[in-house]
Amino acid sequence: MNNHDWETTDILICGCGPTGALLSAYLGQMRISNVVLEKEANITTDPRGIALDEDGIRILQGVGLYDSIYTEIGSCMGKFHFISGSDTNLMKQPFVSMDYNTTAGGTGHVGYICHKQPTLEKKLREAILASSTCSLRSESTVVDIKEDDNWTYCTYRNTEGTERKIRARFFVGADGKTGFTRKQYLEEKGAFMEKVAELVKPTLSTMI
């Protein structure tokens, strides 16, 4: 391929949900150039994910969002009580209780928080935009991916509908199970995630 026809970056990320946004923010901290292509114009208001464990909280702290975790993003989920039976009597004696208000775990954070995903994504995007090595491109739809021994090559349509070409050392698919990466790239190559999961199941069962 004629390299002069391609914009160049270190990492290309397809999808700016929590996973893609977190990766971009961390790469920005390390001064690694990256471009995030997101097909939607704005953050999706559908709440989708609702909870983060202590490791998730630690990861958010790592990109400088700790001050926003309990003030804007979410709140501690507190105590969990598990009851048996199929009736609706919620006052039954629980057979096990867990207190996730504690910070006695290995990270120093509470066990779980209930979060607002749109707010979480907004804060992550602010972290991306604060870095000079990150570029978030909304309304950008991936239409083709190719690769050789040195580069991955991506063609996408921008907000004006114009096709753009970009190459990167690494391409990261963070666009979900119905996104372009899985459906139009990996499955076209015969890589089906469902089959991978089936192969992993016996190992997990053995470990348990």
Side-chain angles (χ1 to χ4, degrees):
M1 297 186 184
N2 188 341
N3 292 340
H4 298 294
D5 296 336
W6 297 82
E7 178 187 0
T8 299
T9 189
D10 288 321
I11 315 289
L12 182 61
I13 303 167
C14 181
C16 195
T19 303
L22 269 170
L23 175 59
S24 177
Y26 268 103
L27 290 171
Q29 286 190 343
M30 294 182 283
R31 312 296 297 171
I32 298 173
S33 67
N34 67 94
V35 173
V36 188
L37 303 177
E38 169 55 50
K39 68 177 181 178
E40 301 296 337
N42 300 298
I43 295 171
T44 303
T45 56
D46 179 358
R48 294 170 290 169
I50 62 169
L52 286 173
D53 64 10
E54 59 183 309
D55 282 320
I57 299 169
R58 175 182 56 81
I59 291 170
L60 292 183
Q61 182 182 22
V63 291
L65 298 185
Y66 189 75
D67 289 344
S68 299
I69 291 175
Y70 298 104
T71 57
E72 298 175 76
I73 294 173
S75 58
C76 181
M77 296 179 71
K79 295 181 179 180
F80 289 72
H81 300 292
F82 295 88
I83 60 174
S84 60
S86 58
D87 58 55
T88 58
N89 179 15
L90 299 181
M91 302 306 294
K92 293 172 62 175
Q93 183 70 21
F95 63 86
V96 66
S97 295
M98 299 179 182
D99 184 1
Y100 283 108
N101 289 307
T102 179
T103 58
T107 65
H109 298 295
V110 297
Y112 281 98
I113 65 167
C114 181
H115 72 79
K116 306 166 190 173
Q117 185 162 330
T119 304
L120 170 62
E121 292 189 28
K122 176 177 178 290
K123 289 297 178 181
L124 288 171
R125 292 187 183 203
E126 289 174 0
I128 292 173
L129 296 174
S131 173
S132 61
T133 59
C134 303
S135 176
L136 169 58
R137 302 177 187 178
S138 299
E139 293 186 273
S140 296
T141 304
V142 174
V143 296
D144 186 57
I145 304 171
K146 292 183 174 63
E147 60 184 300
D148 60 24
D149 291 340
N150 298 309
W151 298 94
T152 59
Y153 301 87
C154 175
T155 303
Y156 69 96
R157 292 193 185 94
N158 65 14
T159 182
E160 288 84 25
T162 304
E163 285 198 355
R164 300 292 186 186
K165 298 178 182 295
I166 185 169
R167 65 175 187 167
R169 294 296 184 186
F170 298 94
F171 180 96
V172 179
D175 50 341
K177 65 181 180 181
T178 61
F180 184 93
T181 307
R182 183 182 294 193
K183 291 301 179 183
Q184 273 72 52
Y185 182 68
L186 292 175
E187 291 188 1
E188 288 292 323
K189 290 179 171 290
F192 293 88
M193 301 305 292
E194 291 80 6
K195 291 183 179 180
V196 172
E198 289 174 3
L199 292 173
V200 172
K201 283 179 181 178
T203 305
L204 292 177
S205 299
T206 302
M207 290 172 64
I208 294 170

